[in-house]
Amino acid sequence: MELVRMSTTIALVTGANKGIGLATARQLAELGMTVHLGSRDLSRGVRAAEQLAAQGVVVHPLGIDIADDASVRKAADFLQAEHGRLDVLVNNAGTLARKAALTITADDLRPEFETNVFGLVRVIHTMLPLLRRSDAARVVNLSSTSAVFTHTADPSTMFAQSDDSFAYAASKAAVTMLTLKYANAFRADPALAHAKVNAVTPGYVATDLNAFQGVRTTEEGARASVRLATLGPDGPSGGFFDDQGPVPW
């Protein structure tokens, strides 16, 4: 997959005030993109942007709560007024609430599905007019290795042995399927046929979602998103990747 360095590309990374999202925003900005650092709490986004600025990296904090229609609409209106388009959308925001599978109720599923699935759809749907105005739109959706069926079906893996990510894994499996469905829909739409949408797994990254037990850094975890966000015109769409290449579903 060819990496393309873009100097005037407009990017939005959701959930970017910390962790993998912050590392993704940094790496895209270092490529020369105009990066909007999306954060549910704008004050945290401002602090994250200041942190990067102190290191010589310029990003622009943008308040966006992906679980709230009005917030997402406001962010889209800002991008429309400021740029008139959106070239790169990284749907990084997500949540994980650990609870054993046999204790989970339907209501327990709602927080993760509201953010990880419905929030993702809310953002893509609202940003579609802006993506249509891009000459090379790229959408990257954060999925998870925990959502890979072949791993979870193997009793020897950590994904089979742990059941406290029940809702998270199911929500991320939905993200991967939605990505494929979006890719098919993009191909069928003349105004989006040039756009590419892919799912990525960052790997087992040390973040607050896993109490910093992961073995990868956030900078390593961001690589797959950045790679898919900078695909050339011959790049894939509708795939699932890590930073080494395609991942089995």
Side-chain angles (χ1 to χ4, degrees):
M1 292 181 287
E2 176 189 0
L3 291 179
V4 178
R5 186 179 181 90
M6 303 177 184
S7 59
T8 59
T9 301
I10 309 303
L12 168 63
V13 183
T14 65
N17 60 281
K18 62 180 178 178
I20 298 167
L22 181 59
T24 302
R26 173 206 291 276
Q27 291 180 27
L28 293 178
E30 288 174 341
L31 287 174
M33 295 188 188
T34 297
V35 177
H36 293 277
L37 185 154
S39 178
R40 181 176 59 180
D41 182 332
L42 181 56
S43 64
R44 293 182 180 179
V46 169
R47 288 196 295 272
E50 291 172 346
Q51 172 188 334
L52 292 184
Q55 300 165 17
V57 179
V58 177
V59 298
H60 308 276
L62 178 64
I64 178 169
D65 180 353
I66 71 169
D68 181 79
D69 286 327
S71 177
V72 175
R73 179 73 263 161
K74 183 177 180 181
D77 289 345
F78 172 83
L79 293 172
Q80 168 61 36
E82 195 77 6
H83 307 291
R85 73 181 196 280
L86 180 62
D87 302 306
V88 170
L89 170 60
V90 181
N91 285 303
N92 171 82
T95 189
L96 164 64
R98 295 189 180 279
K99 192 171 183 180
L102 297 184
T103 68
I104 286 178
T105 66
D107 284 342
D108 291 329
L109 294 177
R110 296 186 194 281
E112 275 140 307
F113 273 78
E114 181 58 51
T115 297
N116 301 347
V117 180
F118 306 144
L120 178 144
V121 172
R122 179 178 290 111
V123 172
I124 292 178
H125 178 75
T126 307
M127 300 295 170
L128 275 177
L130 295 169
L131 293 167
R132 284 192 171 98
R133 297 189 187 102
S134 170
D135 292 332
R138 303 290 180 262
V139 179
V140 181
N141 297 327
L142 269 287
S143 185
S144 171
T145 309
S146 69
V148 174
F149 288 88
T150 53
H151 293 336
T152 306
D154 180 351
S156 68
T157 68
M158 63 180 288
F159 308 105
Q161 294 168 10
S162 172
D163 70 352
D164 64 356
S165 61
F166 181 91
Y168 180 79
S171 71
K172 290 300 187 178
V175 166
T176 308
M177 176 56 76
L178 287 170
T179 300
L180 179 56
K181 289 292 190 179
Y182 272 122
N184 292 339
F186 282 13
R187 292 188 192 100
D189 185 331
L192 284 167
H194 63 287
K196 300 183 185 301
V197 53
N198 290 286
V200 302
T201 173
Y204 193 31
V205 177
T207 69
D208 56 0
L209 287 184
N210 56 40
F212 298 97
Q213 295 178 22
V215 297
R216 309 192 81 205
T217 68
T218 55
E219 295 296 324
E220 291 172 330
R223 288 175 186 165
S225 292
V226 172
R227 190 169 184 83
L228 274 295
T230 53
L231 285 175
D234 60 342
S237 189
F240 183 30
F241 301 89
D242 61 16
D243 57 352
Q244 300 301 309
V247 174
W249 293 23

